[in-house]
Amino acid sequence: MDATSGNAHFSVNTRLTSLLGEAYRSSEAALKELVDNAWDADANNVWITLPEALSGDPVEVRDDGAGMTAAQMRSDYLNIASDKRVRTGERSPRLNRRIKGRKGIGKFAGLALANRMQVSAVARGQRCTLVIDKSVLAENVDDLEAVPLPFDELDAGGSSSGTAIVLSELDARLNFPTAERLREVLVYEYGREDSFKVFVDGVQLTVEDVPGTSRRKDTDLALSGSVGLHFTISDAKRPPKSSGIILRVDGKAVGKPMLFGLDNDEDIPLKLAKRVYGEIDVTGRDDFVTADWGGVIENSKAYQELRDFVVTEVKQGLKDAHANEMTLQKARLQKQLKKRLAQVPEHRRKYAEEAVMRILARYYGESPERISTIADVALDAMEHDAHWVVLDNIGSMSKGDVGAFAKALDDFGLMELSALAAQVARRLTFLDHLDELIANPATLEKQVHVALESNLWVLGRNYDSMASNKTLRAVIGEYCDEEFSGERAAKRADLLLAQDFRDRMLLVEFKRPSHAIGRDDINQAEKYRDDLQIRIAPNSVMEILMLGKGRVESVHMQNLAPNIRLSSYRAVISSARTEFEWLMKSLSDV
């Protein structure tokens, strides 16, 4: 067949006016739209080639889908804002895929990062090629239908069907698309599709890069409808690059991966929660999705039902994985444990093993070397603890007289109560001395800091497990050296950064015991928190606690931002004293 040449024209849909204002958040997001088009075209493979930075080479996106005839390219492809689902139905003709194209403008996503786009499609033995130049469109913005677009049709010469898009003259104002970021965007939606393979610079996109234990649960929910949850808990040595579960509604991803509240669950270590990688599919219900498909309406009953389902299933998977890993860690320590306890009765070993399991759970995520050191110290303390004598006695009495056995158990309880009472008495004495320190007019922030840094139990039960360490102190020191140098050295803040085993963080700012905390102090503390969070824990929750004489009357607690707490030293000490005095009285009544 002889080649033919001529011009083609846009067929403008009345929705164009509202859609022209929409944009893509990144170059990678725009390229994903072209991959979506290949999905809709029943392609089995998509090959994306990215050029070297600053090379001037084009971006190429090629697929082996159905392609387009010249008539289809003229009547359908160039019909801007025409919803493909209206023309051809909700499903693709060959593979019965749910169509992702919704607004009819995804086909032109390439123009979001390039000034020139060439589309070449092969179907029914013919190849048609269309060239769209943004500079030409800009010159004819008032009459798109009159813009001539170079269009060629010729014999395909036996080539297989498919579509190839070449994007050239990339927009220098935008970040250059990279393979790593593109793979991260695509893996949310196509990482587990067996019938749809995506190759970026010759490397196939696959979730096998995130090894671990996978689970699947399909069910029907009362409000959310049919849902399918599939997630992987990655191996600890290779956590996923983008943790969380992506929500897909009718096959299209909504927003970014989420942990659905598991990152704030007290039962799940944060390091473990961040190893979750998965997706949940919802069919036929998109009323809890925001208008731009960038997130969800969190107070929707349907979404809350969906969230509860995800939390229940994933939490159980995490607990199982956690238990298995604790068993493996215990097995690695078993040789050390047996060696340490080889000379003591068998029943004592049982108590030591239980103690080691608690240690493993508390210090989840630490290196094997550190875990071994902690366990070794704990075992050493156990061997020299008076409790061992009592436990030995219990073990021997359990095989003899019932009365003696009961007495041995009573002795253990009395020893426990005695040790607890002694600890309470010591803490009450500490509070007495702390009261004296606060009452002294000469006391400065740094003196209170020194007194409280290793006694965060004073601040309340929620902070009892928190502590500062060498790394956190170094971060604070470096930050204050930078922030309060030169003339500002006299205004150096006294800050303490503490952390617990779940990566929850607390920033304490100590003020003089005579200083009332005002709005300017609060704003400054929030700045400290923001600066420090970037340096050490951008993804962790960091609370702020400010201690001083109290707050000025103009500061109302209900107007404070979340995770900010103000208190006086007197109030903190009084609260701790009340709790320990009650506990002491309870012990004396036993």
Side-chain angles (χ1 to χ4, degrees), residues 258 325 528 573:
M258 303 177 287
E325 290 176 9
Y528 299 152
I573 295 171

Side-chain angles (χ1 to χ4, degrees), residues 220-527:
D220 290 320
L221 300 178
L223 300 177
S224 305
S226 177
V227 300
L229 174 64
H230 185 193
F231 65 94
T232 296
I233 300 172
S234 69
D235 291 344
K237 294 181 180 179
R238 298 183 65 189
K241 298 176 182 178
S242 301
S243 63
I245 294 176
I246 192 73
L247 171 63
R248 298 197 306 176
V249 176
D250 291 337
K252 190 172 181 66
V254 179
K256 296 180 178 180
M258 303 177 287
L259 285 172
F260 290 85
L262 287 166
D263 44 338
N264 294 318
D265 195 303
E266 293 292 336
D267 295 335
I268 304 296
L270 184 58
K271 288 182 179 179
L272 181 62
K274 287 184 177 180
R275 285 169 47 195
V276 176
Y277 174 85
E279 58 189 15
I280 181 167
D281 287 294
V282 179
T283 303
R285 288 296 302 270
D286 61 0
D287 52 351
F288 56 81
V289 179
T290 58
D292 65 351
W293 283 69
V296 297
I297 302 171
E298 294 186 356
N299 62 349
S300 162
K301 292 182 179 180
Y303 170 70
Q304 291 175 358
E305 177 191 53
L306 186 69
R307 181 191 59 196
D308 292 343
F309 166 71
V310 172
V311 169
T312 299
E313 295 298 324
V314 177
K315 190 172 181 178
Q316 185 58 53
L318 288 171
K319 284 186 174 181
D320 292 345
H322 188 246
N324 291 337
E325 290 176 9
M326 292 302 97
T327 301
L328 290 174
Q329 282 194 324
K330 188 182 104 171
R332 289 193 290 267
L333 290 172
Q334 197 69 36
K335 183 177 180 180
Q336 173 189 352
L337 185 64
K338 288 181 177 181
K339 182 179 179 180
R340 291 292 306 271
L341 301 178
Q343 304 303 316
V344 299
E346 183 67 24
H347 66 272
R348 180 179 290 184
R349 184 174 302 168
K350 180 183 68 172
Y351 297 108
E353 290 176 346
E354 292 176 354
V356 169
M357 287 301 289
R358 290 194 296 270
I359 291 170
L360 295 179
R362 179 179 178 85
Y363 292 97
Y364 174 84
E366 297 292 348
S367 67
E369 294 78 13
R370 185 172 182 182
I371 289 291
S372 179
T373 300
I374 295 169
D376 194 60
V377 171
L379 290 171
D380 188 61
M382 292 174 197
E383 289 184 14
H384 296 87
D385 197 325
H387 280 69
W388 286 116
V389 177
V390 179
L391 291 174
D392 274 341
N393 191 30
I394 290 175
S396 61
M397 290 300 106
S398 65
K399 301 176 179 61
D401 180 67
V402 173
F405 182 40
K407 180 64 169 61
L409 293 176
D410 183 57
D411 289 343
F412 178 82
L414 291 175
M415 186 179 68
E416 286 285 291
L417 293 177
S418 174
L420 182 57
Q423 174 74 344
V424 172
R426 286 192 293 268
R427 290 195 170 186
L428 284 171
T429 301
F430 175 85
L431 292 176
D432 291 338
H433 294 312
L434 187 59
D435 247 337
E436 293 179 18
L437 182 67
I438 299 303
N440 191 330
T443 299
L444 300 176
E445 297 96 322
K446 61 183 179 181
Q447 279 101 29
V448 185
H449 183 157
V450 171
L452 288 179
E453 182 169 2
S454 299
N455 295 282
L456 293 183
W457 53 266
V458 176
L459 305 180
R461 193 174 303 166
N462 292 338
Y463 307 112
D464 194 16
S465 63
M466 286 193 155
S468 185
N469 58 43
K470 184 176 181 180
T471 299
L472 298 179
R473 288 192 292 271
V475 170
I476 289 292
E478 292 171 1
Y479 173 69
C480 289
D481 288 344
E482 296 173 7
E483 188 74 12
F484 301 97
S485 60
E487 296 180 356
R488 299 193 71 236
K491 297 182 179 181
R492 186 184 181 101
D494 202 305
L495 305 173
L496 169 68
L497 188 58
Q499 185 178 27
D500 65 10
F501 67 96
R502 294 191 68 254
D503 283 346
R504 186 170 59 103
M505 309 196 79
L506 173 70
L507 177 64
V508 183
E509 182 177 7
F510 297 96
K511 296 292 188 180
R512 294 187 312 278
S514 60
H515 179 82
I517 302 169
R519 175 55 63 181
D520 290 342
D521 297 321
I522 298 170
N523 294 339
Q524 188 62 59
E526 289 183 292
K527 179 183 181 301

